[in-house]
Amino acid sequence: MAESGSKKFFNNWIVKNLLGAVALVFALLVVVSILLNIVTRHNRTVEVPDFTNMSIAEAQVAAAAGDVKVKVTDSVFVRRLGAGVVFRQTPKAGSKVKKGRSIFLTINSIVPRKTTMPNLVGYSLIEAKAELTNHGLNLGKLNYVSDIATNNVLGQSYKGRAIRPGAKIVTGSDIDLEVGLSREDSRTTVPNVTGMKYIRAVDAIHDRYLNVGRVHFDDDIVSYRDSVNAVVYKQDSPGTAKTLGSSVNIYLTLDESKLPSAK
């Protein structure tokens, strides 16, 4: 009985070899994809813990529990903060990173350390914030003035007086910036910082080009260490639109039962 056309086609040695090669390539692609997922931990992310005010030993324990690593890369001097505790971290607390990622810590030094004031004029606000961080300095108040370019840095000051580039200043100092504001791009949204620790909440407010207004601490918060550990339990109008440079009042406590999620 004669073979059908389809059988003759698939019994042809050239067709068999081609089909075998296709199957082999497909199998290799599957294996490579699986290996890449394992090596890169594809889609396996974790939330970065908040290491603020922790000792290095405490940060290492928290990092292990959170499937990340910590490395001390810099130090600043904050007079009222405990020596050797974490002041700042990169990436920020709450960021999504791959498991095993290293989180770089800036700790509070035992003695004052000075840095050189950078020239931030002409920078965008995002660039200026990064440059301040690189020099161990903090963003203070944002003072907006009418200008053609929104969030373009026009001036820099320390404790109400202009500070020149190159001046020596103690690390951890707050630098106020004068920035531009155009009519076409003058609104932002108030972030929800409830549940965040003080420093992280301040950073989140600044990220939306807003200022921290009145900071209300509970009566049992009596030291700077207490304030750094305190969390926001109430704030002004989260999710609403405000003009850039507006102030956001926050209320902090050490009693987490006051948090909305705990009620």
Side-chain angles (χ1 to χ4, degrees), residues 118-183:
N119 184 4
L120 305 177
V121 175
Y123 281 30
S124 70
L125 184 52
I126 292 176
E127 293 171 334
K129 286 177 63 180
E131 192 69 7
L132 286 172
T133 299
N134 290 339
H135 284 75
L137 299 169
N138 302 319
L139 176 61
K141 186 177 180 181
L142 298 174
N143 299 307
Y144 278 90
V145 297
S146 180
D147 190 69
I148 191 172
T150 294
N151 287 324
N152 179 53
V153 178
L154 305 173
Q156 54 193 43
S157 60
Y158 173 61
K159 292 185 176 180
R161 300 181 64 180
I163 181 170
R164 60 179 177 78
K168 292 297 182 181
I169 184 172
V170 174
T171 56
S173 298
D174 292 338
I175 304 300
D176 299 334
L177 299 179
E178 183 178 273
V179 285
L181 179 65
S182 67
R183 291 183 179 179

Side-chain angles (χ1 to χ4, degrees), residues 206-233:
H206 282 158
D207 281 346
R208 296 292 180 88
Y209 313 117
L210 296 165
N211 285 308
V212 178
R214 292 184 178 180
V215 179
H216 303 265
F217 289 104
D218 279 0
D219 292 339
D220 59 346
I221 299 175
V222 296
S223 68
Y224 188 72
R225 183 181 179 88
D226 287 342
S227 70
V228 173
N229 279 330
V231 295
V232 178
Y233 70 93

